[in-house]
Amino acid sequence: MSYTPPTTEQLFVLDHIARIDAMAAHDKYAAATPDMVEAIVTGIGEFAAEVYAPLNRVGDVTNPQWDNGKVTMPPGFKDAYQQFVDAGWGSLDGPGEYGGQDLPFTLAAVVIEALGTANMGFTLCPILTAGAIHALMAYGTEDQRQTWLPKLVNGAWNGTMNLTEPSAGSDVGALRSTAEKVTEGEHAGLYRIKGQKIFITFGEHDLTDNIVHLVLARTAGAPEGTRGISLFLVPKYRLDADGNPTIGNGVHCASIEHKLGIHGSPTAVMVYGEGEDCLGEIVGAEMGGMRAMFVMMNNARLMVGCQGVQIAERATQQAQRFAAERIQSSLAGSADRTLVTIDQHPDVRRMLWRMRAQTEAARALIYYASAQTDFGKLGDERAALRAEVLIPLAKAHATDIGCEVASLGVQVHGGMGFIEETGAAQHYRDARIAPIYEGTNGIQAADLVGRKLGLAGGDGVRGLIDDIARGAAEYPTLAELAEACRHVTDWLEQATVGDRLAGSYPYLTMLSTATCGWLMGIEHQAAKAGLESGEGDCAFLEAKLVSTRFYLEQIVPAATGLAAAALAGDAALAPLPSFA
């Protein structure tokens, strides 16, 4: 179950897909020099392998423990987290005026990838903190930023996102948590928060001395639905006159969940204002909660997509090592009856190359989406629009890939993959949550056809398809898929809401695969150029040619066949018969 950081691959994708050098040409990201980028990627890989990876199995079998509202993390986690804070890994893209390093978000994504590949459950903690930072930067007051951001940026405190309630699920507008404004006394201007939230990642733990919850609630007289929701900053402990978290704030953890996977991450049921005052500060305007929360959610959705890369990378590494050592059967059709390692059998090679190609494609998609976010921050409106279009693709498709690759990893192990001790089963269990949280993948598909399809008068999606088509000149299968995406796009724009939604998921998969195919084509050309010039790691570049060709020739054509499902319409989905 060892982990080898894919440093060469990460640097290659940063160069050729993210275009990290173009970011560094801007003053804002001038510190992202080639030496700095290489030092960060190499350093976080070593840290992840040495500090986080050994705790992956520990967290899976020795779960966080809840006792009377307090949660104790597994052995070694608190020390590892402190090392993460001390090394400054969480502050890479944080704003410099609050203690951050002002480096590109894309590099922060590489850090999260490395840590999450080593230990997916543990790495959920900084993912949510980053989202809280972005929300406060976008909608917080300067006083709120000065008070809360320095400790969030350096990781001394973590942030959470509190949306889901027992009766609401994905229907955020159905929440019942309330916020009553305090009009007099020392707490005037704050809000008394009451309610219960479920599925709160790292809602309670012993890693930090404070936890900053961002909570959705409804103020008095606010309308039903999402329009009436506001966002509140609710700390576990209020701060005393010296800025220390010493004052209890009526925030309690009622329990933590027993889950299929990500056992190293405590998923909490949180109760606010039960029997004592729980005070929160409003973030942004009243009834502006969803706008503020979407800043967190978009960041979180991209990072959940990154989890698909994480689990796919770890599963691929483990399956390849196992297949290179497991001896079974002679090669079919060979006169030599010598037993061989299973990675020499064609079907196992097929699975291993599919795992590798899908993992590399998902990584390219995540890095590209992250980079478009960064270029958007630099004032590139086209990049900002592209990032908006890419969010549902990155979240949904990359997590689908994570599940597929983890499943193939179990298959490569054969019967031993179904046995917990090999570790292949943990990857499969851990991966399964990613298509569910931060907006199910079905919600991502609905967002694609319901909102993203119409962005900029349709130019957002059409611009992406145009770029894919231009990049497909040397790849007939990709050109065919691009045209199929264009045809389905035309149909969806004229379709009823029901027909759009019925075809949304196959369409998302088609467009995601086309995007990945385009990016893999770019990588293919870069690898060819590197080999011709004699620059770079020849073994890596030769393997890159194989994986990109595999993707373009075997994975891309299958996605074209999804057009029939995307065009079938709502009538194809008849009501299910009830069970007697």
Side-chain angles (χ1 to χ4, degrees), residues 159-436:
T160 75
M161 182 164 56
N162 285 236
L163 288 77
T164 309
E165 297 188 4
S167 60
S170 295
D171 183 6
V172 177
L175 66 79
R176 291 290 175 262
S177 293
T178 62
E180 178 189 358
K181 191 168 186 178
V182 180
T183 57
E184 56 186 32
E186 63 173 319
H187 300 310
L190 298 178
Y191 291 76
R192 291 190 179 91
I193 309 298
K194 290 186 178 181
Q196 183 184 89
K197 300 288 184 176
I198 61 173
F199 303 154
I200 308 307
T201 299
F202 276 89
E204 168 59 22
H205 56 80
D206 62 349
L207 300 179
T208 64
D209 62 3
N210 206 6
I211 303 172
V212 180
H213 301 284
L214 290 189
V215 181
L216 289 181
R218 201 181 307 278
T219 53
E224 293 296 308
T226 55
R227 290 189 305 111
I229 292 175
S230 302
L231 180 65
F232 299 89
L233 186 155
V234 185
K236 177 180 178 180
Y237 295 106
R238 300 201 298 274
L239 308 184
D240 60 25
D242 297 320
N244 297 314
T246 61
I247 305 169
N249 192 33
V251 176
H252 297 287
C253 175
S255 65
I256 56 175
E257 306 293 355
H258 303 280
K259 300 167 297 188
L260 175 69
I262 56 166
H263 293 156
S265 169
T267 302
V269 174
M270 300 301 300
V271 177
Y272 297 92
E274 188 175 276
E276 57 183 310
D277 276 353
C278 174
L279 299 176
E281 307 172 20
I282 195 165
V283 178
E286 275 198 29
M287 295 182 286
M290 290 306 293
R291 289 193 299 275
M293 185 58 78
F294 263 109
V295 174
M296 282 192 80
M297 290 182 70
N298 277 339
N299 176 274
R301 285 172 173 176
L302 191 49
M303 289 298 92
V304 170
C306 185
Q307 290 185 315
V309 179
Q310 296 162 19
I311 212 70
E313 176 67 37
R314 190 68 182 268
T316 299
Q317 288 192 19
Q318 184 164 333
Q320 191 166 336
R321 288 193 181 100
F322 178 85
E325 297 172 357
R326 175 76 167 98
I327 297 173
Q328 182 174 298
S329 304
S330 58
L331 284 175
S334 173
D336 184 355
R337 307 313 295 167
T338 303
L339 302 182
V340 298
T341 53
I342 64 172
D343 61 351
Q344 298 183 52
H345 295 300
D347 190 58
V348 175
R349 288 205 311 274
R350 174 192 64 81
M351 289 189 286
L352 292 172
W353 276 115
R354 186 174 180 89
M355 293 172 75
R356 181 163 180 158
Q358 287 279 47
T359 302
E360 292 178 6
R363 178 180 289 110
L365 179 60
I366 296 301
Y367 284 27
Y368 179 59
S370 300
Q372 295 305 294
T373 300
D374 279 322
F375 284 119
K377 293 176 183 176
L378 295 172
D380 185 336
E381 294 182 2
R382 185 173 181 271
L385 175 62
R386 179 63 53 86
E388 280 286 302
V389 171
L390 290 170
I391 290 294
L393 310 187
K395 193 279 179 183
H397 192 61
T399 57
D400 282 347
I401 284 175
C403 288
E404 180 198 354
V405 172
S407 179
L408 284 171
V410 173
Q411 192 73 15
V412 169
H413 282 75
M416 291 304 297
F418 210 66
I419 305 301
E420 286 288 350
E421 284 76 8
T422 66
Q426 182 188 344
H427 304 324
Y428 191 39
R429 290 186 285 100
D430 286 352
R432 193 58 191 85
I433 185 58
I436 297 173

Side-chain angles (χ1 to χ4, degrees), residues 98 133 136 142-153 157 210-212 233-239 245 281:
Y98 305 108
I133 292 168
L136 288 174
E142 183 54 32
D143 183 61
Q144 287 172 331
R145 293 172 188 163
Q146 292 287 350
T147 301
W148 303 103
L149 282 183
K151 291 293 184 71
L152 287 170
V153 167
W157 298 340
N210 206 6
I211 303 172
V212 180
L233 186 155
V234 185
K236 177 180 178 180
Y237 295 106
R238 300 201 298 274
L239 308 184
E281 307 172 20

Side-chain angles (χ1 to χ4, degrees), residues 28-51:
K28 178 177 174 63
Y29 295 139
T33 62
D35 287 346
M36 173 65 80
V37 170
E38 184 171 358
I40 288 170
V41 176
T42 302
I44 192 57
E46 293 172 351
F47 178 86
E50 294 170 6
V51 180

